[in-house]
């Protein structure tokens, strides 16, 4: 920690913005701020009340952690969950930042010690639970200067939000308790009512409000419709088999479902556990810890799971059932891929769930609001244009382009004239006096003879059996489309009977045509092939590793990370994120400079772990030449391969951001590849990225500085005017020409 106080002292003379950037690099190992982070930090440093709306994984934490480091005094962070606090304090300490938490688990002696460390500047961030606020703040503020208050998960204060917490209402009194201390509120909830409510409840004074894009391009989106329980279980087993060892969460509607699904998966040999609010505290905590520490791969959970989880390497999220609104859906899928590396999400959508959720909405305290939110969720699930566009529109955001990373974009639906199908169904609705629910209607159309149907004499109406040629599941999906198209409505208050609408009547009379999207079917043969592939893959995993050297090294680094984490009693992702390990495996850093250039390797983490990881990489890349010469040769090629992969994508016309995302690398790394490829004589249009003016500036700086190869002196000499990546490109150009 001393190292960092010393470090801070040397940067004191720099302008604040520059110091913020330096702190980002030193403590967190990142080269650049994400959009808005810099402005948010400026606002807090200027002492303004500040509201931050950013999606989960967007990078809210550094927005208060960096000002906390730079400002005099201690930043008080209010956070709703104990587990979350512990996680953040662990992560800060691992990064070399003095932090602590005051909660019921802290003894009197520890408390005194903590306060002392706050007073002498060793602790810059102090986490408090909302329950402790009113009792603790009055005496704390006499012990040391409070630089500002950061309220995490601020939407918990609003009764409009989906996550209201009574203990947060105490925060009303913050302003009067500490009238001169700036307040910062952070949340991943975007809706406008909640936003206004936060400002009002906290009595914020003309706050700067920052709304980041809610888009998380690294999350893929997919929906599967109308699958029964057995089918879903099969799909899930396939899904997991395709992602060996990758941690994921499956959200289920009920406690029982979580238990059943966990059992099913365990029987398939998958390392799974369940989690719900009905379990006792100890087993809940154990499951959570096991998941965080990568000892459990899959958690089948109710929505009670996840809020306290900062785990950055969750690689996928599945919704077994439809969520009740887009906010919950987005927050839950947002728990995947927080490290920015690609992650997958899958949602199962059925009419049954929709009906059940509508009922719950109708019986809730705010029936209209909740029904409207459910309807938006339904629109997302039933989208037949880019699903992300529809999802983002729920948060008031308009996307300029289709995303290319959702199921609709990847596999656009085809349409066909479904007028006759619709007429059959609509006619059956009318002839059953609009009293039949969805399943009964399908039974009528398919000519079933079940008892209830016969009792109601439905077998005598004209449309009985008129849709025998379409399967039960397909009819369900078509009817869903009819509802979505506004031809039919569900009467939630009449036992979910289907009612025909005015538009529906027009279709029935032949005054309007209906376009339906075609359903995708998996043939029996495809299913069989998939199952065989799955078994083969599982067999291959137990017998041999036929993965690439890069993947092998990644797995080795993961194991190294796990053993360090176990020794230190922290979650693995706190040591390094998946993304950081991936970059190491691709880039093979073997010197301090190269290692520090990896995204996520800050100065403190380098001091702690850098050498161990360098050793591991060295021995993988160069060692064991005698017995395993092959491995060494293949690894020596790997660095060149890495450049070639970038070149390949560049030639395909991808831009740097896209290449970085595709390769799971930092854009900085890609820029360095481009510079190197250019130096190697590859046809790179380097002038697309750096102007003659910028090259001239760099040239002058270089002449002044003499012969330097590092970027930082040049950057400083130019007063931060030219970003690092451009300096790198300019230097390559100068060298070459
Ligand atoms: P949130 O609290 O908004 O859900 P976090 O603060 O946990 O998100 O950040 C998500 C991830 O992004 C973390 O792994 C964090 O270290 C990383 N991150 C934050 N800022 C940057 C940045 N400027 N460059 C690269 N990674 C970043
Ligand atoms: Zn899309």
């Amino acid at each position: 920690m001393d190292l960092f106080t010393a470090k801070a002292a040397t940067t004191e003379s720099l302008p604040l913005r520059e110091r913020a950037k330096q702190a980002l690099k030193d403590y967190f190992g990142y080269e650049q701020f994400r959009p808005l982070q810099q402005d948010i930090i400026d606002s807090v440093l200027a002492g303004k009340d500040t509201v931050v709306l950013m999606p989960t994984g967007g990078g809210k934490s550094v927005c208060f952690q960096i000002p906390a480091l730079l400002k005099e005094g201690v930043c008080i962070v209010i956070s709703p969950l104990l587990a979350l606090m512990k996680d953040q304090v662990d992560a800060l300490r691992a990064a070399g930042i003095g932090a602590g938490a005051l909660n019921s688990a802290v003894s009197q002696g520890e408390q005194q010690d903590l306060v002392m460390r706050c007073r002498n500047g060793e602790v810059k961030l102090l986490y408090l639970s909302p329950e402790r606020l009113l009792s603790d703040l009055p005496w704390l503020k006499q012990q040391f200067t409070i630089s500002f208050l950061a309220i995490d998960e601020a939407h918990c204060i609003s009764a409009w939000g989906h996550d209201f917490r009574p203990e947060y209402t105490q925060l009303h009194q913050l302003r009067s308790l500490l009238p001169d201390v700036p307040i910062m509120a952070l949340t991943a909830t975007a809706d406008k009512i909640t936003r206004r409510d936060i400002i009002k409840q906290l009595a914020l004074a003309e706050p700067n409000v920052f709304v980041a894009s809610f888009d998380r391009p690294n999350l893929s989106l997919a929906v599967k419709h109308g699958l029964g329980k057995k089918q879903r279980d099969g799909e899930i087993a396939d899904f997991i088999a395709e992602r060996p060892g990758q941690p994921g969460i499956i959200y289920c509607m009920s406690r029982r479902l979580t238990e059943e699904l966990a059992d099913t998966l365990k029987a398939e040999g998958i390392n799974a556990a369940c989690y719900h609010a009905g379990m006792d505290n100890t087993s809940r905590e154990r499951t959570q810890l096991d998941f965080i520490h990568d000892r459990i791969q899959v958690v089948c959970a109710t929505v009670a799971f996840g809020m306290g989880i900062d785990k950055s390497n969750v690689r996928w999220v599945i919704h077994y059932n439809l969520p009740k609104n887009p906010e919950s859906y987005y927050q839950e899928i947002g728990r995947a891929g927080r490290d920015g590396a690609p992650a997958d999400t899958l949602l199962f959508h059925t009419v049954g769930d929709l009906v059940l959720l509508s009922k719950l909405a109708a019986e809730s305290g705010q029936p209209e609001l909740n029904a409207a939110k459910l309807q938006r969720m339904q629109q997302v699930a039933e989208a037949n244009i880019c699903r992300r566009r529809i999802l983002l529109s729920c948060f008031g955001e308009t996307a300029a382009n289709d995303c290319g990373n959702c199921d609709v974009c990847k596999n656009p639906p085809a349409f066909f004239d479904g007028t006759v199908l619709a007429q059959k169904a609509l006619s059956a609705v009318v002839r059953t006096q609009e009293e039949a629910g969805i399943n009964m209607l399908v039974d009528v159309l398919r000519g079933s003879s079940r008892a209830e149907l016969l009792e109601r004499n439905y077998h005598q109406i004209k449309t009985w059996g008129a849709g025998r040629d379409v399967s039960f599941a397909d009819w369900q999906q078509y009817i869903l489309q009819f509802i979505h198209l506004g031809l039919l409505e569900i009467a939630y208050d009449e036992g979910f009977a289907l009612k025909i609408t005015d538009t529906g009547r027009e279709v029935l009379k032949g005054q309007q045509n209906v376009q339906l999207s075609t359903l995708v079917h998996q043939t029996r043969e495809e299913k069989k092939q998939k199952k065989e592939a799955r078994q083969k893959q599982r067999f291959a995993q137990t017998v041999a590793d036929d993965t690439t050297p890069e993947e092998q090294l990644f797995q080795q680094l993961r194991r190294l990370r796990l053993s360090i984490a176990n020794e230190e009693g922290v979650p693995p992702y706190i040591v390094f994120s998946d993304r950081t390990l991936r970059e190491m495996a691709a880039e093979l850093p073997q010197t301090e400079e190269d290692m520090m250039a990896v995204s996520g390797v800050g100065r403190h983490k380098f001091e702690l772990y850098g050498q161990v990881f360098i050793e591991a990489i060295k021995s993988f890349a160069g060692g064991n030449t005698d017995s395993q010469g092959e491995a060494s040769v293949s690894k020596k090629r790997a660095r060149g391969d890495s450049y070639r992969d970038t070149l390949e994508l560049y030639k395909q016309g991808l831009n740097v951001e896209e290449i970085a995302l595709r390769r799971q690398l930092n854009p900085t790394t890609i820029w360095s590849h481009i510079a190197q490829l250019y130096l190697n004589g590859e046809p790179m249009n380097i002038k697309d990225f750096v102007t003659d003016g910028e090259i001239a500036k760099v040239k002058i700086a270089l002449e002044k500085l003499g012969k330097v190869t590092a970027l930082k002196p040049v950057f400083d000499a130019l007063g931060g005017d030219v970003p690092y990546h451009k300096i790198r490109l300019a230097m390559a150009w100068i060298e070459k020409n």
Side-chain angles (χ1 to χ4, degrees), residues 199-472:
I199 295 176
K200 194 173 121 209
Q201 307 273 352
L202 291 173
L204 301 186
E206 292 174 17
N208 287 332
V209 180
F210 296 92
V211 186
S213 165
F214 271 67
D215 193 11
R216 295 272 311 278
N218 64 320
L219 296 183
S220 76
L221 305 175
V223 177
K224 296 209 166 175
H225 299 268
L227 299 182
K229 197 163 166 313
K230 261 242 161 69
Q231 291 165 302
R232 279 184 257 183
D233 292 352
E235 292 279 340
I236 290 174
D238 284 343
F239 184 98
I240 297 173
E242 283 160 16
R243 294 164 177 77
Q246 295 183 10
I249 306 172
I250 306 171
Y251 283 107
C252 306
M253 185 137 55
S254 73
R255 296 173 182 184
R256 215 191 57 215
L257 267 178
T258 65
E259 288 169 2
E260 287 172 4
L261 183 58
D263 286 342
T264 310
L265 295 179
K266 277 191 259 183
E268 288 257 348
I270 295 165
N271 181 7
C274 67
Y275 183 104
H276 57 72
M279 287 160 47
D280 62 76
N281 272 344
T282 331
S283 21
R284 265 196 346 226
E285 256 163 45
R286 186 166 16 128
T287 305
Q288 184 162 332
L289 277 178
D290 283 346
F291 184 60
I292 286 178
H293 289 264
D294 288 352
R295 294 187 290 260
I296 288 177
Q297 187 196 350
V298 179
V299 177
C300 309
T302 58
V303 294
F305 184 73
M307 176 132 157
I309 293 185
D310 245 350
K311 185 178 170 75
S312 71
N313 64 338
V314 175
R315 291 268 67 88
W316 52 267
V317 166
I318 293 177
H319 279 89
Y320 202 82
N321 306 98
L322 190 72
K324 57 181 190 289
N325 55 50
E327 288 86 11
S328 312
Y329 172 62
Y330 205 60
Q331 193 150 48
E332 283 147 20
I333 61 172
R335 300 204 169 109
R338 290 172 73 132
D339 52 9
D344 296 318
T345 77
L346 172 62
L347 161 68
F348 291 108
H349 177 36
T350 61
V351 182
D353 288 347
L354 191 63
V355 167
L356 190 64
L357 286 169
S358 305
K359 187 162 171 267
L360 292 177
E363 290 165 357
S364 70
Q366 296 166 307
E368 274 128 53
L369 182 69
N370 288 332
K373 286 185 169 183
L374 177 60
Q375 201 173 14
R376 302 228 62 181
M377 186 61 232
Q378 187 188 351
Q379 285 163 359
V380 173
E382 292 167 12
N384 51 25
I385 62 162
C386 174
R387 201 177 296 285
R388 195 179 312 266
R389 286 190 131 175
I390 302 209
L391 183 57
L392 289 174
S393 78
C394 298
F395 308 116
E397 225 177 286
T398 9
N401 296 306
D402 286 354
C403 75
N405 195 19
C406 75
D407 49 353
V408 186
C409 282
K410 286 177 195 157
N411 202 354
F415 294 92
F416 69 99
D417 187 337
T419 312
V420 173
L421 274 176
Q423 284 170 336
K424 284 181 184 172
L426 294 167
S427 154
V429 168
V430 174
R431 285 168 202 274
T432 51
Q433 269 77 46
E434 300 184 292
E435 283 170 3
I438 290 177
N439 289 349
M440 176 60 90
L441 189 75
V442 175
D443 280 343
V444 170
L445 286 163
R446 292 190 28 87
S448 149
S449 306
R450 67 181 167 100
E452 194 194 345
L453 190 150
L454 299 180
E455 270 163 34
R456 296 203 200 176
N457 269 331
Y458 287 165
H459 59 298
Q460 300 194 332
I461 62 180
K462 205 172 144 206
T463 20
W464 183 78
R468 236 183 259 280
D469 49 336
V470 176
S471 76
F472 192 92

Side-chain angles (χ1 to χ4, degrees), residues 18-37:
E18 195 47 38
R19 283 174 61 200
K21 200 144 183 224
Q22 189 69 44
L24 183 73
K25 177 69 197 152
D26 282 350
Y27 293 104
F28 301 96
Y30 300 132
E31 219 56 63
Q32 257 149 12
F33 282 113
R34 290 189 181 153
L36 289 187
Q37 282 180 330

Side-chain angles (χ1 to χ4, degrees), residues 107-117 119:
S107 75
Q108 192 70 26
E110 285 169 321
Q111 178 168 322
Q112 265 166 13
D113 180 55
L114 193 54
V115 169
M116 205 181 67
R117 290 194 293 126
R119 206 178 317 156

